[in-house]
């Protein structure tokens, strides 16, 4: 008999949708659309409610209403994801291509050249900046854009505004990135300078589209702005500001008349750019997402709204103040301006530390998975980076220097790779399997990636600081890049495979050859397609929805006989006995699946098939 038990909060989404496909529009309205394929991700309704910010009782009430309403009054469920539901893939894949070429790989090669020469000045500045550009716009930028397009509409229970424009922003960003990275090391040539300017213009257009789409998506949701929304909006502002500043710096460095003027311009204008990119864009985005993501996905404490709102302007002031006074420090060659800039850096460090501590990452957690260790490591590296920044005067006094390129670079590496990249690795490893419908329990734990990237980051930070005292430390720092690249490559291969595996539940799962015997792990839809004479056996055991030809061609193709029996509480052995009995009978008109729109005959009492639970 059909299952008429009330829907429970601990029921798994695939089981619910297999038994009651008419309830899918309710889940889609709260952000399920496109996640996990035809039957959704392998998560409970309770987890879904928490992750998507839905009151559990309200969700259960609406699901019950949909389940008991006449099917004709409900919108037809859609099992084919829309373009907006899979848009993240192109951004994530391009981000992976960026990090494994001009990003981490090129950076590791540049670091080996620095190690061989024993000096950070051994590599042309234009190559270092091109590598940094690939990291910010390619690795960080593309992943942020893909995640925002995918997750923000679900956070707000709405749809992405103008998905076609979002796709256009992808092509603009990737084309601009390619032109810029290729042209910057050769920008002394007028032709390459023009190509670089063209690439920058394409990137600016992509950023403008991205900011517009996200703001319009927020507006169309009609929901009041939460505290975390303001962090995300601020991150959009930093993203736009750094894109403009980056283009201006490219022109300044490419048109410098000599090495002296080049170094002066870089010393004055590059630190503010890195502040806008790292402390502004990337950090604000992570702080905003963390406040929404960690409580929803892992049940961690929610940061009090009043505290979050109080810290936001302090963080922004810290970034702006440090950038402005760093610029003044080098433009007018005034060391006191550097002291003021340091004060704003401390302000940012204190505010960021308070916010990070209130996220509760290092306490008890309701959920734990392969990504959680990455989040903890990421925020540990954030604390390391902030501690290094605050300790700068002590280090300079101890080392007898007025400025240390090695120490400053080490602090920046701790936040870019340790904090930002570690968060990308962890969030992507969590989000992509959910969207792909993969079973998390069957996925590798990513321990090699975790160990290699953390070890590489530690060697780079420690080794780079040590180069102020001994040239032998360059070898330690040089080895770090290889470890980091290896760890990221392992992660990237697994993530790419998940994104490439896109099973279509409407597509046949095997050839048209009839099986010799029905087995528990065969797909119901495929079995009914190649052996339609088995349909009456399924109907007799309570699978009346299979009388609908549309369901046989869609939902039934994504579920096995074993899974169907478990959902309907039907004895597997009894069903297989009757299915195999029908399978070995000669097909007849009365036992052949009817085409769409034709009523399927029900077995009469004199049918040789036994009733469920009966005896032959």
């Amino acid at each position: 008999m059909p299952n008429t038990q009330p829907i429970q909060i601990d029921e798994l989404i695939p089981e619910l949708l297999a038994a009651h496909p008419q309830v899918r529009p309710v889940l889609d309205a709260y952000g399920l659309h496109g996640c996990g394929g035809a039957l959704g991700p392998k998560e409970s309704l309770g987890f879904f409610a928490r992750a998507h910010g839905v009151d559990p009782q309200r969700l259960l009430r609406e699901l019950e209403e949909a389940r008991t309403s006449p099917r004709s009054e409900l919108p037809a469920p859609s099992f084919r994801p829309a373009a907006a539901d899979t848009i993240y893939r192109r951004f994530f894949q391009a981000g992976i291509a960026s990090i494994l070429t001009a990003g981490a790989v090129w950076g590791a090669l540049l670091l080996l050249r620095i190690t061989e020469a024993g000096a950070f000045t051994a590599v042309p500045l234009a190559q270092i900046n091109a590598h940094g550009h690939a990291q910010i716009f390619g690795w960080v930028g593309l992943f942020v854009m893909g995640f925002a397009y995918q997750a923000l509409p679900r956070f707000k229970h709405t749809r992405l505004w103008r998905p076609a424009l979002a796709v256009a922003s992808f092509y603009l960003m990737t084309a601009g990135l390619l032109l810029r990275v290729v042209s910057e090391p050769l920008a002394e040539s007028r032709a390459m300078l023009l190509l670089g300017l063209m690439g920058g213009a394409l990137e600016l257009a992509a950023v403008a589209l991205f900011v517009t789409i996200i703001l319009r998506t927020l507006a169309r949701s009609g929901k009041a702005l939460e505290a975390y929304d303001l962090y995300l909006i601020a991150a959009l502002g930093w993203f736009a500001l750094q894109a403009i500043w980056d283009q201006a710096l490219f022109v300044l460095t490419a048109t410098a008349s000599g090495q002296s003027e080049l170094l002066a311009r870089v010393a004055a204008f590059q630190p503010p750019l890195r502040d806008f990119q790292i402390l502004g864009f990337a950090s604000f985005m992570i702080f905003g997402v963390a406040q929404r993501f960690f409580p929803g996905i892992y049940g961690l404490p929610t940061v009090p709204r009043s505290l979050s709102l109080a810290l936001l302007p302090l963080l922004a002031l810290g970034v702006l103040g440090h950038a402005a006074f760093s610029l003044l420090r080098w433009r007018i060659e005034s060391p006191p301006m550097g002291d003021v800039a340091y004060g704003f850096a401390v302000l940012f460090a204190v505010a960021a530390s308070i916010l990070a501590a209130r996220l509760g990452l290092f306490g008890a957690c309701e959920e734990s998975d392969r990504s959680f260790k990455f989040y903890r490591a990421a925020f540990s590296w954030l604390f390391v980076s902030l501690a290094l920044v605050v300790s700068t005067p002590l280090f300079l006094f101890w080392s007898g220097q007025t400025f240390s390129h090695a120490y400053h670079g080490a602090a920046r590496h701790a936040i870019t790779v340790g904090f930002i990249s570690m968060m990308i690795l962890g969030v992507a490893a969590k989000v992509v399997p959910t969207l792909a419908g993969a079973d998390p329990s069957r996925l590798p734990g990513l321990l090699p990636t975790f160990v290699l990237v953390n070890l590489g980051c530690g060697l780079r930070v420690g080794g780079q600081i040590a180069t102020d005292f001994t040239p032998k430390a360059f070898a330690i720092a040089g080895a770090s890049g290889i470890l980091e690249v290896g760890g990221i490559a392992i992660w990237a291969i697994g993530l790419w495979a998940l994104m490439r595996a896109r099973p279509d539940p409407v597509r046949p799962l095997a050839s048209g050859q009839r099986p010799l015997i029905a087995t528990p792990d065969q797909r119901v839809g495929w079995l009914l397609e190649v052996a339609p004479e088995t349909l009456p056996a399924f109907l007799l055991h309570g699978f009346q929805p299979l009388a609908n030809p549309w369901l046989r061609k869609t939902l039934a193709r994504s579920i096995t006989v074993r899974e169907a029996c478990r959902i309907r509480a039907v004895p597997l052995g009894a069903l297989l006995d009757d299915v195999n009995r029908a399978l070995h009978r000669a097909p007849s008109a009365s036992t052949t699946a009817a085409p769409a729109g034709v009523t399927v005959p029900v077995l009469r009492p004199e049918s040789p098939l036994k009733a469920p639970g009966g005896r032959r």
Side-chain angles (χ1 to χ4, degrees), residues 226-231 284 287-288 291-292 302-315 351 354-355 358-359:
E226 303 288 344
Y228 77 86
D229 290 322
L230 300 180
Y231 282 79
F284 272 66
F287 290 152
Q291 292 180 70
R292 174 63 177 82
T302 300
V303 178
R305 178 180 174 85
S306 58
L307 177 62
S308 180
L309 294 177
L311 293 174
L312 178 60
L314 297 180
L315 291 166
I354 294 173
L355 179 59
R358 291 305 299 265
L359 291 172

Coordinates of all heavy atoms in Angstrom, one line a residue, residues 226-231 284 287-288 291-292 302-315 351 354-355 358-359:
E226 N 20.3 40.9 6.2 CA 20.9 40.4 7.4 C 22.3 41.1 7.6 O 22.8 41.7 6.7 CB 21.0 38.9 7.4 CG 19.7 38.2 7.2 CD 18.8 38.2 8.4 OE1 19.3 38.6 9.5 OE2 17.6 38.0 8.2
A227 N 22.8 40.9 8.8 CA 24.2 41.4 9.1 C 25.2 40.9 8.1 O 26.0 41.6 7.5 CB 24.6 41.1 10.5
Y228 N 25.1 39.6 7.8 CA 26.1 39.0 6.9 C 25.9 39.6 5.5 O 26.9 39.6 4.7 CB 26.0 37.5 6.9 CG 24.8 36.9 6.1 CD1 24.9 36.7 4.7 CD2 23.6 36.6 6.7 CE1 23.8 36.2 4.0 CE2 22.6 36.1 6.0 CZ 22.7 35.9 4.7 OH 21.6 35.3 4.0
D229 N 24.7 40.0 5.1 CA 24.5 40.6 3.8 C 25.4 41.8 3.6 O 25.9 42.1 2.5 CB 23.0 40.9 3.6 CG 22.2 39.7 3.4 OD1 22.6 38.8 2.8 OD2 21.0 39.7 4.0
L230 N 25.5 42.6 4.7 CA 26.2 43.8 4.6 C 27.7 43.6 4.4 O 28.4 44.3 3.7 CB 26.0 44.7 5.9 CG 24.6 45.1 6.2 CD1 24.5 45.8 7.5 CD2 24.0 45.8 5.0
Y231 N 28.2 42.5 5.0 CA 29.6 42.1 4.7 C 29.8 41.7 3.2 O 30.8 42.1 2.6 CB 30.0 40.9 5.6 CG 30.3 41.3 7.0 CD1 29.3 41.5 7.9 CD2 31.7 41.4 7.4 CE1 29.6 41.9 9.2 CE2 32.0 41.8 8.7 CZ 30.9 42.0 9.6 OH 31.2 42.3 10.9
F284 N 36.4 40.2 3.6 CA 35.0 40.5 3.9 C 34.0 39.5 3.3 O 33.0 39.2 3.9 CB 34.7 41.9 3.3 CG 35.0 43.0 4.2 CD1 36.3 43.3 4.6 CD2 34.0 43.8 4.7 CE1 36.6 44.4 5.4 CE2 34.2 44.9 5.6 CZ 35.5 45.2 6.0
F287 N 34.2 36.5 5.7 CA 33.5 36.9 7.0 C 32.0 36.8 6.8 O 31.3 36.4 7.7 CB 33.9 38.2 7.5 CG 35.4 38.3 8.0 CD1 36.1 39.5 7.9 CD2 36.0 37.2 8.5 CE1 37.4 39.6 8.3 CE2 37.3 37.3 8.9 CZ 38.0 38.5 8.8
G288 N 31.5 37.3 5.7 CA 30.1 37.3 5.4 C 29.5 35.9 5.2 O 28.5 35.5 5.8
Q291 N 29.4 33.8 8.4 CA 28.4 34.0 9.4 C 27.0 33.4 8.9 O 26.2 33.1 9.8 CB 28.2 35.5 9.5 CG 29.3 36.2 10.2 CD 29.1 37.7 10.3 OE1 28.2 38.2 11.1 NE2 29.9 38.5 9.6
R292 N 26.9 33.1 7.7 CA 25.7 32.4 7.2 C 25.9 30.9 7.0 O 25.0 30.1 7.3 CB 25.3 33.1 5.8 CG 24.1 32.4 5.1 CD 22.8 32.4 5.9 NE 21.7 31.8 5.2 CZ 21.5 30.5 5.2 NH1 22.3 29.7 5.8 NH2 20.4 30.1 4.6
T302 N 25.5 31.5 16.1 CA 25.3 32.6 15.3 C 25.9 33.8 15.9 O 25.8 34.1 17.1 CB 23.8 32.9 15.1 OG1 23.2 31.8 14.5 CG2 23.6 34.1 14.2
V303 N 26.7 34.6 15.2 CA 27.3 35.8 15.7 C 26.2 36.8 16.0 O 25.3 37.1 15.1 CB 28.3 36.4 14.7 CG1 28.9 37.7 15.2 CG2 29.4 35.4 14.4
P304 N 26.1 37.4 17.2 CA 25.1 38.3 17.5 C 25.0 39.5 16.5 O 26.1 40.0 16.1 CB 25.4 38.8 18.9 CG 26.2 37.7 19.5 CD 27.0 37.1 18.3
R305 N 23.8 39.8 16.1 CA 23.7 40.9 15.0 C 24.4 42.2 15.5 O 25.0 42.8 14.7 CB 22.2 41.1 14.7 CG 21.9 42.2 13.7 CD 20.5 42.4 13.5 NE 20.2 43.5 12.6 CZ 20.2 43.5 11.3 NH1 20.5 42.3 10.7 NH2 20.0 44.6 10.6
S306 N 24.2 42.5 16.7 CA 24.7 43.8 17.2 C 26.3 43.8 17.1 O 26.9 44.8 16.7 CB 24.3 44.1 18.6 OG 24.7 43.0 19.5
L307 N 26.9 42.7 17.5 CA 28.3 42.6 17.4 C 28.8 42.6 16.0 O 29.8 43.3 15.7 CB 28.8 41.3 18.1 CG 30.3 41.0 18.0 CD1 31.1 42.1 18.8 CD2 30.6 39.6 18.6
S308 N 28.1 41.9 15.1 CA 28.5 41.8 13.7 C 28.4 43.2 13.1 O 29.4 43.6 12.4 CB 27.6 40.9 12.9 OG 27.9 40.8 11.6
L309 N 27.4 44.0 13.4 CA 27.2 45.3 12.8 C 28.2 46.3 13.4 O 28.7 47.2 12.8 CB 25.8 45.8 13.1 CG 24.7 45.1 12.3 CD1 23.3 45.6 12.7 CD2 24.9 45.1 10.8
A310 N 28.6 46.1 14.7 CA 29.6 46.9 15.3 C 31.0 46.7 14.7 O 31.8 47.7 14.6 CB 29.6 46.7 16.8
L311 N 31.3 45.5 14.4 CA 32.6 45.1 13.9 C 32.8 45.5 12.4 O 33.9 45.8 12.0 CB 32.9 43.6 14.0 CG 33.1 43.1 15.5 CD1 33.2 41.6 15.5 CD2 34.3 43.8 16.1
L312 N 31.7 45.6 11.7 CA 31.8 45.9 10.2 C 32.5 47.2 9.9 O 33.5 47.2 9.1 CB 30.4 45.8 9.6 CG 30.4 46.1 8.1 CD1 31.2 45.2 7.3 CD2 28.9 46.1 7.6
P313 N 32.1 48.3 10.5 CA 32.8 49.6 10.2 C 34.2 49.6 10.7 O 35.1 50.3 10.1 CB 31.9 50.6 10.9 CG 31.1 49.9 11.9 CD 30.9 48.5 11.4
L314 N 34.5 48.9 11.8 CA 35.9 48.9 12.3 C 36.8 48.2 11.3 O 37.9 48.6 11.1 CB 35.9 48.2 13.7 CG 35.1 48.9 14.8 CD1 35.3 48.0 16.1 CD2 35.6 50.3 15.0
L315 N 36.3 47.1 10.8 CA 37.1 46.4 9.8 C 37.3 47.2 8.5 O 38.4 47.3 8.0 CB 36.4 45.1 9.4 CG 36.3 44.0 10.5 CD1 35.3 42.9 10.1 CD2 37.7 43.4 10.7
A351 N 39.5 43.6 15.4 CA 38.1 43.4 15.0 C 38.0 42.0 14.3 O 37.0 41.3 14.6 CB 37.7 44.5 14.1
I354 N 38.1 39.2 16.9 CA 36.9 39.1 17.7 C 35.8 38.3 16.9 O 35.1 37.4 17.4 CB 36.4 40.4 18.1 CG1 37.4 41.1 19.1 CG2 35.0 40.4 18.8 CD1 37.0 42.5 19.5
L355 N 35.7 38.7 15.6 CA 34.6 38.1 14.8 C 35.0 36.6 14.6 O 34.1 35.8 14.7 CB 34.6 38.8 13.4 CG 33.6 38.3 12.4 CD1 32.2 38.3 13.0 CD2 33.6 39.1 11.1
R358 N 34.1 34.5 17.6 CA 32.7 34.3 17.8 C 32.0 33.3 16.9 O 30.9 32.9 17.1 CB 32.0 35.7 17.8 CG 32.3 36.6 18.9 CD 32.1 35.9 20.3 NE 30.7 35.6 20.5 CZ 29.8 36.3 21.1 NH1 30.1 37.5 21.6 NH2 28.5 35.9 21.3
L359 N 32.7 32.9 15.8 CA 32.2 32.0 14.9 C 32.1 30.6 15.5 O 31.3 29.7 15.0 CB 33.0 31.9 13.6 CG 32.9 33.1 12.7 CD1 34.0 33.0 11.6 CD2 31.5 33.3 12.1

